[in-house]
Amino acid sequence: LEFRRVLFRSMDITSIAMVAEDGRTWILPVAEGETRAKGLGMLDTAALLKEVGLGGEVELAGKNVRLLPCGLSELRKGMLRRAQTIGDKDAGIIVARLGIGRDDVVLEAGLGSAGLGLHLHRALGPNGHHITVEPREEHAAAGLGNLARAGEAWRDGPRHTHLEGHAEDLAA
């Protein structure tokens, strides 16, 4: 694929995806000063984005990486994983078959790493409401982290409410 270079100052970018040639993906906040990226080292992402631009390539820690906006594909590849995740195809089928779209309210019982949650977050739009329930604290931490990064990358995401516990206990 050929990407065209986009100047940083023309876009309001809060997070970027750094994608290596082998597909490894890092999702980083755009911030002045150094940010640690495991496997890439310490980076000033704001300066790097201004210098290279979106779509540009740079060599970091011996890896050629391309700077891209955080789309669903990039967030999925760079997501923190704790629980087994639902794949793109399955998530797409769930969203399509249930007719989930903008402005809907969705209760997701079992957040896990938010594999499905990222797709729901994208589909619901700014007036939707995504309610998640997860009983395992360590899984919730990974999933909530992934949803927070999606919220930073996609300013038009839905309202999100998270409940800790088992869905059947919370419904009582």
Side-chain angles (χ1 to χ4, degrees):
L1 293 172
E2 184 63 35
F3 295 92
R4 68 185 172 91
R5 186 179 163 120
V6 179
L7 293 176
F8 170 58
R9 61 185 165 275
S10 67
M11 303 183 74
D12 181 24
I13 302 286
T14 58
S15 299
I16 57 169
M18 297 181 130
V19 182
E21 292 174 331
D22 64 4
R24 283 182 292 171
T25 303
W26 295 263
I27 306 297
L28 300 171
V30 174
E32 297 197 13
E34 293 195 330
T35 301
R36 179 166 173 67
K38 188 175 180 180
L40 295 178
M42 298 298 287
L43 309 168
D44 182 331
T45 53
L48 187 62
L49 188 55
K50 286 178 186 175
E51 179 184 329
V52 178
L54 285 177
E57 285 189 17
V58 64
E59 184 175 329
L60 299 169
K63 301 169 189 75
N64 288 327
V65 296
R66 184 178 300 272
L67 279 59
L68 298 173
C70 293
L72 179 58
S73 176
E74 290 78 25
L75 283 169
R76 288 277 310 184
K77 289 177 187 171
M79 69 188 278
L80 304 170
R81 296 179 189 274
R82 180 78 180 129
Q84 182 175 356
T85 62
I86 292 178
D88 292 333
K89 182 177 178 182
D90 293 330
I93 289 171
I94 291 167
V95 170
R97 289 221 175 129
L98 293 177
I100 297 170
R102 295 182 71 76
D103 306 336
D104 285 344
V105 176
V106 175
L107 170 63
E108 181 183 6
L111 172 63
S113 296
L116 174 60
L118 290 174
H119 287 267
L120 292 171
H121 208 73
R122 193 66 169 160
L124 293 174
N127 295 316
H129 189 180
H130 183 200
I131 305 165
T132 56
V133 179
E134 177 59 61
R136 294 161 304 217
E137 193 174 312
E138 66 277 7
H139 291 202
L144 292 172
N146 288 326
L147 289 178
R149 291 194 326 206
E152 291 169 3
W154 304 326
R155 299 279 183 181
D156 62 346
R159 184 165 53 114
H160 177 248
T161 303
H162 179 70
L163 305 171
E164 288 185 24
H166 294 276
E168 58 273 18
D169 296 337
L170 295 169

